[in-house]
Amino acid sequence: AQTVTQSQPEMSVQEAETVTLSCTYDTSESNYYLFWYKQPPSRQMILVIRQEAYKQQNATENRFSVNFQKAAKSFSLKISDSQLGDTAMYFCAFMKHARGNEKLTFGTGTRLTIIP
Amino acid sequence: KAGVTQTPRYLIKTRGQQVTLSCSPISGHRSVSWYQQTPGQGLQFLFEYFSETQRNKGNFPGRFSGRQFSNSRSEMNVSTLELGDSALYLCASSPLTGANTEAFFGQGTRLTVV
């Protein structure tokens, strides 16, 4: 079974600063996907960024980037130039790369507050 | 393109009753998954349907069931409600074409059991 651990329950940062959210996972699988989802107060989960385990290059989406360390089973999210709209719960999630097994295993989340 | 639609958005039920939640996936998406979100247990996988077949089931009692229709719409049912079933129930749909496994979530149904 897979587990995902987010060790920072809450974080806050000043607007325009950079913040890094941590995530570690445990799996015996060699091929899988990792995701960061954002859940604002509206409750809708929104995909922020995705990483395929077989890709060595770290994924980047505008102000969001990841530091994927496969050997260490670490998958941190860096938010640059943080904005007020980034305030939300952030969940790290794991999915096996296996047809017919597309379930997400989530971490407990990090509540991020951007301070004006 | 319309997103994932969950109805109702809010629901209050009494212990012992049953409830049915509905999820309409994004057009063309054949996979629908359900998750339960609570402050204590976090986000937990309930089940996943693909082409009207349940392919995966999480570790929940048999009171939790679901189904998927030929148009990919899905329903989940909880019978004999308990106070602990109070939660946000999230539905996600995926196209599952090629390497595209992205899950698109609805806004959830907030169930309160009193």
Side-chain angles (χ1 to χ4, degrees), chain A residues 39 44 50 99-100 102 104, chain B residues 35 37 55-56 98 101 105:
Chain A
Q39 187 177 40
Q44 184 152 19
R50 160 184 134 144
R99 275 284 174 254
E102 288 86 358
L104 289 161
Chain B
Y35 294 83
Q37 186 176 20
R55 295 196 302 183
N56 290 289
T101 58
F105 284 83

Side-chain angles (χ1 to χ4, degrees), chain B residues 61-107:
Chain B
R63 300 184 297 107
F64 291 80
S65 63
R67 58 178 175 168
Q68 187 180 34
F69 301 95
S70 57
N71 62 357
S72 293
R73 189 177 71 85
S74 178
E75 289 181 347
M76 68 162 280
N77 183 277
V78 188
S79 62
T80 319
L81 283 165
E82 300 176 0
L83 295 179
D85 297 332
S86 294
L88 179 66
Y89 289 88
L90 292 168
C91 166
S93 75
S94 299
L96 296 187
T97 54
N100 189 347
T101 58
E102 180 178 344
F104 295 81
F105 284 83
Q107 289 191 283

Side-chain angles (χ1 to χ4, degrees), chain B residues 29-67:
Chain B
H29 288 193
R30 294 163 66 190
S31 170
V32 174
S33 299
W34 290 88
Y35 294 83
Q36 181 196 64
Q37 186 176 20
T38 60
Q41 299 297 317
L43 280 150
Q44 293 188 288
F45 172 77
L46 279 157
F47 26 66
E48 187 245 353
Y49 286 87
F50 183 85
S51 292
E52 302 178 63
T53 301
Q54 185 184 90
R55 295 196 302 183
N56 290 289
K57 191 178 194 308
N59 190 23
F60 279 83
R63 300 184 297 107
F64 291 80
S65 63
R67 58 178 175 168

